[in-house]
Amino acid sequence: MFTFSMALTMNIHTLTKDLPRRIVLSYAAIGTVWILISDQAIETLIGNYSQFTYLATFKGLIFIAITSLLLYKLINNYERSLIEISHKNASTKTIQYLIILNKINEYITLQKQLKNAMQYDSLTKLPLRSILLEKLEYLFKASDMHHQFAVIHLDVVHFKSIKYTLGYEFSEQLLIAITNRLTTYLPDAVMIARVGMADEFIILLEQIGDLASAHKILNYISNLFIQPFHLEEHEIFKQVKMGLAFSYDCGGNPEQLLQAAELAVHQCRRSPNTGYTIFNPEFKAYASRQLELDNQMRRDFNERHFQLYYQPIFSADTLEIVGFESLIRWYHNSQLISNLEFIPLAEETGFIIPLGMWVFGQACWQFQQWRSQFSQVKSMFVNINVSVVQLMQPNLLSQIDHILAVTEIPPQQIQLEITETALMNNAEDIADILKDIKSRKINLCIDDFGTGYSSLSYLQNFPFDTIKVDKSFITDIECDQKSVEIVRTIALMANSLDINLVAEGVETPGQLRQLQNLKYQTVQGYLLAKPMSVDAVEEYLQRQHHNCCSEAG
Ligand code: C2E
Ligand code: CA
Ligand code: CA
């Protein structure tokens, strides 16, 4: 545009420069010729000439000269104004051009910044997933059959609990410290990318040999986390879980390679004592089995193949039943599917939300039935296991309120059990909901206590009424002095905080005696009663009711 306007200006300038001269010259020439060849002029030529004729010719020529001059000036002025206009236009256009140019620059810079923000993590400055995918794409194209590379998916164990106990900013500092440790101790050529929401990293190993070298690298990275992180006045020990997949594991597809590494780390998370797992094609079979199980679970739920069992909880002193814990059972084609298999899956897929609400409704309804049938149940309580996924769903409270209203069960006779690990990993998200549940007079119990590394100060932040000590400690109290000390310390702590105590997994009379000595109020386990079907519980309560009435009689 700029070039065009410059060319136009120059053309007009050249044209207008010749025009006045040509017009005026033509006019002057034609005018002079016309005057000279007029009658008077002929008369002059043949000698018959008067003074009057001479004067007329002279005046005519003067007239032509003056008008020519005027004409010249007129055209000249016109030409100048034309040039001024075109100059003005040209400079306006130049400014416009510069403004546009500036805007384009701004836009390009903004685009660059946006692209940067989308490709690099603002906190750790590490590349994000998109850059990693580009790089993998390139590697797959560039490398031949003999060159193999690998990716490691690295997760920081219990990262969320740091966020809750020490705050969001502290957890960000820790992420930066983890990044620094990785970048310092891994070679520069190794790409480290940050993926996922918080604590997940991908390490790309462009040069990797056989399986043995993979084990070497994974051990090397694990060892980087042996030393603690010193942040502010805190000393933080952090473990990592890793999943490694080789380039040949995924048919040349970057997304599938990342998926393979993720499947491997997923598998690693399932085994508490493993620091890393190398991808195995069987993991894919496992994932498809999970998919099949998920479909089957949803179908069987609609066809009412789920039921609740109830395991009695006893007073440690009198060995009388003080309450029941509801435990879900799924029979598929008359075969029991373990809770440990389908509950984690239901939590992962979100199916635990309808399933858990059914459990809550069913347990409340059942318990209220027993309360009306058996007088001794009136003073008992029902414990219901709740997943943290349920606690995070927005309409949980309105559903609880609805069930309480419909069943008319007194809320103080319900106790919700939440595992300590779930609590530790999601404390920030569920702290408020727990308070809301408590405000409805429903009791709260920490399940599997001792497995989630919670501390005394931590417990004070939550409105828990009961601690249920994990069965792993109870199993060992007869033979392992360390377990005895743990169980004793938990009892001291619970008593000082005025929290009730339950010991689960009591299987032997020796364990029961120890717990009685350690002043545990309530116990639960196969020694006293296994989980029972509704019919079995009713039979038991009926017998108890009968005995009680005949004794009174
Ligand atoms: P949990 O809440 O810790 O339940 C105790 C588990 O230990 C139950 O296994 C119970 O049958 C078993 N148990 C009880 N006494 C003994 C004993 O003396 N020795 C041994 N070895 N085991 C004993 P179950 O029923 O298979 O449940 C496993 C887990 O599934 C439960 O662990 C709980 O976390 C979860 N679960 C069960 N029902 C529900 C439910 O309705 N909702 C949710 N979200 N989770 C549930
Ligand atoms: Ca439980
Ligand atoms: Ca438990």
Side-chain angles (χ1 to χ4, degrees):
M1 252 163 104
F2 180 67
T3 326
F4 175 70
S5 70
M6 283 304 283
L8 191 70
T9 315
M10 281 169 70
N11 277 341
I12 290 172
H13 195 251
T14 329
L15 254 175
T16 47
K17 209 173 175 186
D18 286 338
L19 207 61
R21 204 187 308 143
R22 270 193 231 148
I23 293 171
V24 173
L25 273 177
S26 309
Y27 171 76
I30 293 166
T32 310
V33 170
W34 181 75
I35 284 166
L36 290 178
I37 62 168
S38 64
D39 287 350
Q40 291 90 335
I42 292 165
E43 271 176 35
T44 310
L45 274 175
I46 58 174
N48 191 10
Y49 133 172
S50 64
Q51 212 171 12
F52 173 77
T53 315
Y54 180 80
L55 197 67
T57 307
F58 181 70
K59 277 184 186 169
L61 288 172
I62 293 280
F63 175 78
I64 293 292
I66 289 170
T67 49
S68 295
L69 265 172
L70 281 174
L71 218 58
Y72 180 83
K73 210 157 168 68
L74 205 74
I75 292 168
N76 222 18
N77 283 350
Y78 174 71
E79 177 209 83
R80 216 174 290 139
S81 64
L82 255 185
I83 289 170
E84 267 169 26
I85 288 168
S86 65
H87 269 300
K88 210 169 158 189
N89 275 353
S91 59
T92 317
K93 288 219 166 80
T94 309
I95 289 164
Q96 279 175 355
Y97 169 78
L98 286 173
I99 291 171
I100 290 169
L101 205 69
N102 206 23
K103 286 250 179 275
I104 291 172
N105 270 339
E106 272 175 25
Y107 178 71
I108 290 171
T109 320
L110 200 74
Q111 248 198 347
K112 267 189 194 158
Q113 282 170 352
L114 258 171
K115 206 174 165 193
N116 235 16
M118 281 160 69
Q119 292 186 326
Y120 289 89
D121 176 38
S122 56
L123 181 73
T124 58
K125 312 286 176 252
L126 290 178
L128 294 172
R129 195 182 173 86
S130 56
I131 291 221
L132 178 71
L133 285 174
E134 268 175 30
K135 177 84 185 187
L136 289 175
E137 190 89 47
Y138 167 79
L139 282 177
F140 274 120
K141 277 186 189 147
S143 58
D144 57 30
M145 289 290 286
H146 306 291
H147 175 76
Q148 65 186 25
F149 51 95
V151 293
I152 297 173
H153 190 125
L154 182 147
D155 271 9
V156 183
V157 177
H158 295 319
F159 184 77
K160 275 190 184 165
S161 57
I162 290 283
K163 200 160 93 181
Y164 182 66
T165 46
L166 296 168
Y168 185 74
E169 274 177 25
F170 189 91
S171 72
E172 287 202 328
Q173 278 185 43
L174 180 62
L175 265 186
I176 294 172
I178 292 171
T179 308
N180 288 344
R181 191 165 291 182
L182 288 171
T183 47
T184 310
Y185 291 100
L186 287 172
D188 286 347
V190 170
M191 183 194 250
I192 305 167
R194 192 173 171 206
V195 294
M197 293 303 286
D199 53 330
E200 290 163 80
F201 296 88
I202 298 282
I203 298 166
L204 169 59
L205 306 168
E206 284 184 52
Q207 303 293 335
I208 187 163
D210 53 4
L211 213 58
S213 64
H215 282 285
K216 234 182 189 168
I217 293 168
L218 287 162
N219 277 319
Y220 174 75
I221 299 173
S222 282
N223 290 341
L224 293 181
F225 291 85
I226 290 176
Q227 292 299 321
F229 292 91
H230 294 280
L231 290 172
E232 294 170 8
E233 73 278 17
H234 301 280
E235 187 180 59
I236 308 284
F237 286 90
K238 268 290 146 213
Q239 247 190 318
V240 292
K241 293 249 171 200
M242 289 177 282
L244 180 142
F246 282 100
S247 48
Y248 55 70
D249 282 326
C250 62
N253 183 317
E255 285 281 2
Q256 277 181 21
L257 179 61
L258 294 180
Q259 266 172 29
E262 203 175 342
L263 272 178
V265 81
H266 198 266
Q267 203 68 22
C268 181
R269 273 189 231 121
R270 293 165 58 84
S271 1
N273 300 322
T274 314
Y276 65 81
T277 307
I278 295 176
F279 177 78
N280 177 330
E282 275 174 21
F283 297 168
K284 272 192 182 161
Y286 169 80
S288 65
R289 154 106 179 108
Q290 293 290 89
L291 192 69
E292 205 180 296
L293 196 69
D294 183 45
N295 287 335
Q296 199 56 59
M297 180 165 60
R298 287 164 199 266
R299 265 198 299 270
D300 280 5
F301 181 66
N302 290 338
E303 291 169 16
R304 299 173 189 273
H305 290 302
F306 284 83
Q307 46 182 296
L308 289 186
Y309 270 45
Y310 295 86
Q311 185 177 28
I313 300 169
F314 296 84
S315 152
D317 284 343
T318 62
L319 298 185
E320 279 174 2
I321 296 180
V322 291
F324 291 92
E325 176 182 5
S326 72
L327 292 159
I328 198 165
R329 292 289 175 266
W330 174 20
Y331 284 95
H332 178 67
N333 295 336
S334 313
Q335 204 187 337
L336 181 69
I337 306 210
S338 164
N339 284 350
L340 304 180
E341 188 173 2
F342 77 86
I343 288 178
L345 175 67
E347 287 179 333
E348 219 171 278
T349 61
F351 188 65
I352 196 73
I353 292 173
L355 189 67
M357 208 24 82
W358 173 80
V359 168
F360 185 76
Q362 185 67 21
C364 290
W365 176 83
Q366 186 60 74
F367 197 70
Q368 189 62 344
Q369 291 285 107
W370 289 340
R371 285 183 85 243
S372 62
Q373 283 171 17
F374 309 103
S375 56
Q376 71 269 38
V377 179
K378 285 215 161 59
S379 58
M380 293 180 187
F381 52 84
V382 61
N383 279 21
I384 303 170
N385 291 288
V386 181
S387 154
V388 78
V389 182
Q390 283 175 268
L391 294 176
M392 286 198 267
Q393 60 133 342
N395 52 356
L396 174 79
L397 287 171
S398 61
Q399 289 180 334
I400 288 181
D401 289 342
H402 176 72
I403 291 168
L404 292 181
V406 170
T407 59
E408 295 180 343
I409 183 172
Q412 55 275 20
Q413 289 190 261
I414 304 173
Q415 180 147 260
L416 299 188
E417 294 193 8
I418 299 142
T419 63
E420 190 192 28
T421 318
L423 187 74
M424 287 298 291
N425 292 339
N426 305 278
E428 191 182 10
D429 304 320
I430 59 173
D432 288 343
I433 194 90
L434 290 181
K435 285 188 189 115
D436 287 338
I437 291 174
K438 196 76 194 70
S439 72
R440 281 152 174 81
K441 298 197 170 63
I442 293 176
N443 297 298
L444 296 173
C445 166
I446 308 187
D447 201 356
D448 302 344
F449 190 79
T451 55
Y453 312 102
S454 60
S455 67
L456 189 83
S457 63
Y458 187 77
L459 276 184
Q460 283 172 326
N461 297 333
F462 292 99
F464 280 100
D465 305 275
T466 306
I467 287 174
K468 192 184 262 193
V469 181
D470 190 64
K471 55 178 169 286
S472 57
F473 301 108
I474 310 301
T475 308
D476 292 344
I477 48 171
E478 280 183 293
C479 55
D480 176 23
Q481 193 52 33
K482 216 165 143 196
S483 289
V484 177
E485 288 313 316
I486 291 172
V487 173
R488 191 200 310 277
T489 312
I490 296 173
L492 286 171
M493 183 184 80
N495 287 334
S496 72
L497 289 173
D498 203 18
I499 293 178
N500 300 320
L501 268 176
V502 193
E504 68 177 350
V506 182
E507 291 180 344
T508 67
Q511 290 167 356
L512 179 63
R513 260 195 312 278
Q514 286 258 35
L515 292 164
Q516 284 166 333
N517 291 339
L518 291 169
K519 303 273 173 283
Y520 273 67
Q521 296 108 13
T522 42
V523 286
Q524 188 182 1
Y526 292 170
L527 173 72
L528 301 159
K530 286 195 167 181
M532 298 189 268
S533 68
V534 170
D535 288 347
V537 172
E538 285 179 357
E539 209 176 288
Y540 179 87
L541 289 172
Q542 189 69 48
R543 242 189 356 257
Q544 207 187 27
H545 187 68
H546 189 75
N547 290 346
C548 162
C549 290
S550 52
E551 267 172 34

